[in-house]
């Protein structure tokens, strides 16, 4: 999912949902679910019940760790169920329908590298599949075992390794354990006046290690926003030994070791810690929204902004459907949400230049959320806060719609500017038609641009459809196949920041150059000779 | 070497030196060499003669290509001699002493991917080593064969593939053949109003493919300056097939395929073309120089600049020795050369803020080159031009000093800020002492920072010593070993942008994490199963 700004750390008394997004107390109740469902003809009359672990048929664990590792391992059914899948729409539906993915036999929570290495050694000897698990927020089937070649499955939960170990304030960097969740990471950095400033939408429920393993994209639209750019060095425990790269601001010594592990999704090793680059906390912020009657004009405006020196922190273009859904505009206009941030100096001037550039491409500043003028405050403005709240609420609403038998899911890509307009149009049309055909009801396919580059953009799609209650997973998989076909036709990436996991494997296999597949398979063979690490991800 | 701004394409009537840097007509003559030598006690009385190809004992080629490939292959002795080595100091000295590296048997100049693939097929069948060759400006032994396990050696010169094939002006990108030399590349882009804006010091004598294969650093001090950041996609011919990645502004689909080939130095495949990101040509430029009586103050000032939002295009800190040598200051001060550029808007304001920041850290603006005030012009200012000329002349002067039996070489690294001061001090002291001990004469070890980052910097060292005529290579190798030991002690990279080649292999092998070495070796085995590609580079 695509990012937002940080939330305060929630009280620890809250309970994570084993089957749905986030906190159980934030889930819409039955009445809210029914109200949402009423907006989509063809959904159920009443919500599916909240699934219960005790209704699942969870077998006894197929393997038992040795006594020396027993203290790191849980076989509690609730623990195991909560580690069976990520949090994609199709995961939520499978849980609601009582058919979750393969429930792991064991959940291990190592507290240091030694524990990780010992667990890998044991798993290698016993042919136990090891699925690394951070916050469990994967939306692409990244933390689920789907094979049958292993004797047992162990979910390797890193969240007991959750500390900021060292902070270098002079060089603005920190050594952080991979299992640190977003809010805890920022809480531990705050006393130093520093921030990682990496805020994916999953921020509350994802870890540094997960971000690194999936090449996560942060909230910010331009400049340094991908976690890749913040990596000084990585520590990775592999079955063939521990890889520890040097802390360097830059190096030209051969292919980057870190770049091989970034995006490796647990298939090459378990990332246990990283030195990451930090920033001073921004003191100046300004934001505005600009409406565009014509979406093509808006695309040209965004391209001009991305190719300028302005570097907006936020440059999120909502198409008319997305703008209407989020309340940003109700007159069929597209809306560009612009934001600037700096720790150094006021940013109102940059915002004014950006708004002027947007106007010169057909934007207008009447009646849009936040207005067209620049607002500068140390804490952002009300429109952005409202938008942020709605944005963070979205995954919860998705689960509420899933309980009504609806289809409600997102996917994302990136392509060069020449392909962006046709790609967006064809995804809207072809996925919309396929959804209508499959369900018999009109479907909604909206688009926003979450990240923009001088040479292209990352379109992010939301699909809302009535579903075909009982067949939601099959219908969704068909729609995703239609979408993937459009992406492939335009040579647009199968994922910009949601990772490959298992759900995107077919598209990934078509996108990845064959010689690179050979190299990656060879690298995997060298580092994971017994094939225990996250089997089915990236390579077979 | 570290970069500069572009020069106009030279007339084609000029002749490249087979043994020394650049154009033969730009070499210092005997009198100039003698004058330079007179400044360094302990050098020769008269310059070593310019070496001649006809004095070399060049054996008949040990292999002959099949008739179908004969039109791509040269066995001319001059051609072969010019492809025997790169242009490091130790290469120049070996040529001057009549002991060049192994002269390749064949020089092949394919004109398309098919030719490259056919040559690799033939070489694989015959166990012929293939050494990819761009402009031949390697300063780390990257284009030289040092083994004896192959039947013959073929230098694969890519410079017949020298065209910009496509330009996407909307998305500011171009598809460019790997053998395109810097000036030709910019000449072909100029009509489109675009620039790659990648200007290493070797710009005239190096190719896009060479930059990609070595992760070259450009002229600019901050922001996007490494060639890595400009890559949209790569096309790489390997013995196992051709790898062609998609043109994407960004992707999170697994580890980046391009990042495996970037920095692979010809060991994994032959890069034949790339889609690269371009920029508008800058219209606004401003520069200034600030002197610092105290080098430690200057380091703190540079760190503050690198951690600000200012993004100077140039932020080159010369220590007192370097400042004196280049004429920037003669009073023992260090000098910070600052430059700003933009295609968008005037940059004088940013320069003023940068100069003020430098002053607040102990900089003074009296009597330094270019003055402390901001100068804005479309073409830069006179001080920068003078500096640029001297800078481009340096490698020629180095060769002149080599002819006098002197040691004159550079090396570079990068480290986090906490390590930078100690590292610079120890390199100066330990290399200086080792040089004095080896030669019996005082040596000069100067330092400048060529690239700066929020989390560290890239120190670049120049060593000038009397040498021990006849033993220059051995003395230099010893000094380099001393320097490498200091770098290793500080966990500073063995190379920031000069590449590993063969000269940096010992340092690289210590720096690279062992599991990454396993993965890289496996990848090489998969892509180059017969081990013909640039043997000895990166992995064995």
């Amino acid at each position: 999912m695509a990012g937002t700004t940080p939330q305060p750390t929630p009280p620890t008394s809250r309970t994570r949902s084993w089957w749905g997004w986030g906190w159980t107390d934030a889930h819409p109740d039955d009445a809210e679910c029914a109200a949402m469902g009423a907006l989509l003809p063809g959904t159920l009359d009443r919500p599916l019940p909240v699934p219960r672990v005790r209704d699942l048929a969870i077998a006894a664990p197929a393997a038992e760790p040795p006594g020396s590792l027993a203290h790191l391992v849980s076989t509690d059914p609730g623990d195991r169920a909560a580690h069976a899948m990520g949090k994609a729409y199709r995961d939520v539906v499978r849980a609601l329908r009582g058919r979750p993915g393969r429930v792991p036999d064991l959940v291990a929570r190592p507290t240091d590298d030694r524990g990780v290495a010992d667990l890998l050694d044991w798993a290698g000897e016993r042919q136990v599949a090891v699925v690394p698990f951070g916050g469990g927020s994967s939306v692409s089937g990244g933390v689920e075992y789907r094979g049958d070649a292993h004797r047992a499955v162990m979910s390797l939960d890193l969240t007991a390794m959750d500390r900021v170990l060292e902070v270098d304030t002079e060089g603005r960097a920190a050594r952080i354990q991979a299992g640190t969740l977003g809010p805890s990471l920022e809480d531990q950095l705050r006393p130093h006046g520093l921030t990682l400033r990496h805020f994916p939408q999953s921020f509350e429920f994802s870890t540094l290690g997960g971000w690194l393993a999936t090449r996560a994209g942060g909230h910010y639209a331009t400049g340094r926003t991908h976690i890749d750019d913040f990596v000084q060095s990585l520590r990775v425990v592999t079955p063939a030994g521990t890889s520890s790269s040097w802390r360097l601001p830059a190096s030209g010594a051969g292919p980057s070791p870190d770049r091989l592990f970034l995006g490796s999704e647990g298939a090459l090793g378990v990332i246990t810690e990283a030195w990451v680059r930090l920033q001073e906390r921004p003191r100046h912020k300004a934001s505005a929204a600009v409406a565009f009657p014509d979406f093509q004009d808006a695309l040209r405006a965004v391209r001009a902004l991305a190719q300028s020196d302005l570097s907006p922190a936020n440059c999120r273009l909502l198409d008319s459907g997305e703008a209407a859904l989020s309340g940003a505009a109700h007159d069929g206009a597209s809306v560009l949400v612009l934001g600037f941030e700096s720790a150094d100096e006021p940013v109102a001037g940059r915002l004014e230049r950006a708004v002027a550039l947007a106007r010169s491409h057909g934007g207008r500043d009447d009646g849009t959320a936040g207005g067209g003028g620049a607002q500068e405050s140390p804490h952002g403005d009300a429109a952005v806060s409202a938008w942020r709240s709605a944005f963070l609420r979205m995954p919860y609403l998705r689960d509420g719609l899933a309980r009504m038998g609806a289809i409600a899911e997102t996917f994302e890509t990136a392509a060069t500017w020449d392909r962006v307009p046709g790609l967006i149009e064809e995804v809207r049309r072809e996925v919309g038609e396929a959804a209508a055909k499959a369900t018999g009801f009109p479907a909604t396919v909206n688009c926003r641009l979450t990240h923009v580059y001088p040479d292209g953009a990352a379109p992010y799609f939301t699909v809302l459809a009535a579903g075909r209650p009982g067949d939601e997973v099959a219908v969704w998989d068909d729609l995703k196949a239609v979408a993937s076909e459009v992406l492939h036709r335009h040579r647009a990436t199968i994922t910009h920041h949601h990772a490959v996991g298992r759900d995107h494997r077919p598209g990934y296999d078509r996108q990845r150059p064959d010689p690179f597949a050979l190299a990656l398979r060879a690298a995997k063979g060298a580092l994971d000779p017994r094939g225990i690490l996250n089997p089915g991800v990236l390579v077979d």
Side-chain angles (χ1 to χ4, degrees), chain A:
Chain A
M1 311 213 169
T4 188
T5 42
Q7 298 302 294
T9 308
T12 51
S13 61
R14 302 177 77 180
T15 305
R16 285 285 301 277
S17 170
W18 76 268
W19 65 274
W21 189 260
W23 307 111
T24 52
D25 60 20
H27 285 195
D29 63 21
D30 286 6
E32 289 174 276
C33 292
M36 287 192 290
L39 299 175
L40 277 181
T43 50
L44 300 170
D45 294 333
R46 69 190 66 175
L48 296 168
V50 170
R52 298 178 303 190
V53 171
R54 66 168 177 269
D55 294 334
L56 302 175
I58 299 181
E64 197 179 321
S68 62
L69 298 174
H71 64 293
L72 301 177
V73 175
S74 157
T75 56
D76 171 73
D79 222 0
R80 291 170 60 196
H83 287 78
M85 300 182 296
K87 295 293 190 241
Y89 164 79
R90 69 193 307 289
D91 303 335
V92 170
V93 170
R94 285 185 293 161
L96 287 169
R97 296 292 180 182
R99 300 188 300 266
R102 158 86 180 250
V103 174
D105 299 277
L106 310 166
V107 176
R109 290 189 175 83
T111 56
D112 56 20
D113 282 10
R114 184 71 261 153
V116 174
D118 289 346
L119 287 161
L120 293 187
D121 284 350
W122 170 76
E125 286 160 16
R126 299 301 184 95
Q127 268 299 299
V128 172
V130 178
V131 180
F133 193 100
S137 64
S138 170
V139 288
S140 58
V143 293
E144 166 184 358
Y145 183 78
R146 288 191 193 159
D148 57 7
H150 294 79
R151 181 185 304 183
V153 177
M154 174 169 69
S155 182
L156 190 70
D157 183 318
L158 275 295
T159 54
M161 296 172 72
D162 63 351
R163 282 177 307 139
V164 172
L165 299 171
E166 269 182 88
V167 178
D168 169 4
T169 52
E170 180 187 343
R172 293 188 186 168
R175 182 160 71 94
I176 306 180
Q177 289 185 302
T180 313
L181 287 156
S184 167
L185 186 153
E186 289 293 337
D187 285 349
Q188 292 180 71
L189 294 177
R190 196 168 292 114
H192 303 278
L194 295 168
T195 171
L196 178 58
R197 206 168 167 268
H198 180 75
F199 304 121
Q201 190 177 15
S202 63
F203 176 75
E204 274 184 282
F205 310 110
S206 55
T207 61
L208 175 62
W211 303 336
L212 295 165
T214 60
R215 298 177 66 192
H219 173 70
Y220 300 102
T222 68
R224 297 197 302 165
T225 184
H226 285 271
I227 197 70
D228 315 42
D229 296 327
F230 300 120
V231 175
Q232 243 181 15
S233 72
L234 289 183
R235 196 167 164 86
V236 188
V237 177
T238 84
T242 296
S243 177
S244 189
S245 57
W246 290 2
R247 265 188 82 189
L248 293 170
S251 173
S256 163
D258 297 337
R259 296 276 181 172
L260 180 66
F261 291 112
L262 287 168
S264 64
E265 303 192 12
L268 301 180
V270 181
I271 299 169
T272 58
E273 63 179 58
W275 271 98
V276 289
R277 301 180 179 119
L278 306 174
Q279 297 171 62
E280 266 192 84
R281 309 188 78 80
R283 292 183 302 122
H284 307 276
K285 297 187 183 187
S287 57
V290 181
F292 288 84
D294 183 321
F295 186 63
Q296 301 304 319
D297 283 346
L299 286 177
R300 280 185 283 273
V302 170
R303 177 160 62 85
L305 283 162
Q307 293 178 346
S308 75
D309 279 358
L310 289 166
S311 291
N314 199 354
C315 186
R316 196 170 294 257
L317 175 61
L318 317 178
D319 74 1
S320 59
E322 190 86 7
L325 207 65
S326 70
H330 295 285
D331 59 355
S334 306
V335 173
L336 175 61
V337 182
L338 285 168
F340 287 84
E341 295 188 8
S342 172
D344 258 18
E345 53 160 5
V347 291
R350 275 157 74 201
L351 179 62
E352 272 166 31
R353 283 175 54 211
V355 169
L357 191 59
R359 279 193 203 136
S360 77
H361 284 82
R364 60 174 163 75
D365 59 351
D366 48 347
T368 58
Q375 298 189 303
E376 179 119 13
S377 86
H379 305 294
D381 63 62
V384 170
S385 293
W387 181 84
R388 180 209 294 164
S389 302
F391 182 65
L392 289 175
R393 185 94 180 114
M394 280 176 205
Y396 292 106
L397 301 184
R398 178 202 65 176
D399 293 355
L401 285 165
R403 289 185 61 203
M404 297 305 296
I407 284 172
E409 182 57 307
T410 62
F411 61 91
E412 38 81 74
T413 184
T416 47
W417 282 115
D418 53 327
R419 294 159 197 205
V420 166
L423 164 71
I424 292 175
E425 190 195 323
E426 289 169 40
V427 165
R428 274 205 207 105
R429 188 178 62 237
E430 297 186 27
V431 174
E433 285 172 3
K437 194 173 161 197
T439 65
F441 292 96
T444 299
V445 184
N446 294 333
C447 179
R448 60 180 188 265
L449 302 188
T450 57
H451 299 75
V452 296
Y453 302 90
D455 56 333
Y460 189 105
F461 297 94
T462 303
V463 180
L464 289 173
R468 207 166 58 200
D471 283 341
E472 295 96 337
V473 170
V475 172
W476 173 248
D477 285 350
D478 285 350
L479 297 184
K480 194 64 184 287
V482 169
S484 299
E485 204 53 45
V486 179
L487 301 192
H488 184 260
R489 191 188 308 149
H490 287 272
R491 297 293 184 273
T493 182
I494 193 67
T495 176
H496 171 265
H497 61 270
H498 277 182
V500 176
R502 290 159 182 86
D503 296 348
H504 292 146
R505 262 304 289 283
Y508 174 67
D509 286 355
R510 292 207 285 178
Q511 174 176 342
R512 177 182 57 187
D514 286 342
F516 181 71
L518 289 178
L520 192 59
R521 220 169 277 135
K524 166 127 177 134
L527 299 180
D528 178 25
R530 286 167 157 149
I532 56 169
L533 283 174
N534 217 4
V537 160
L538 296 182
V539 288
D540 295 319

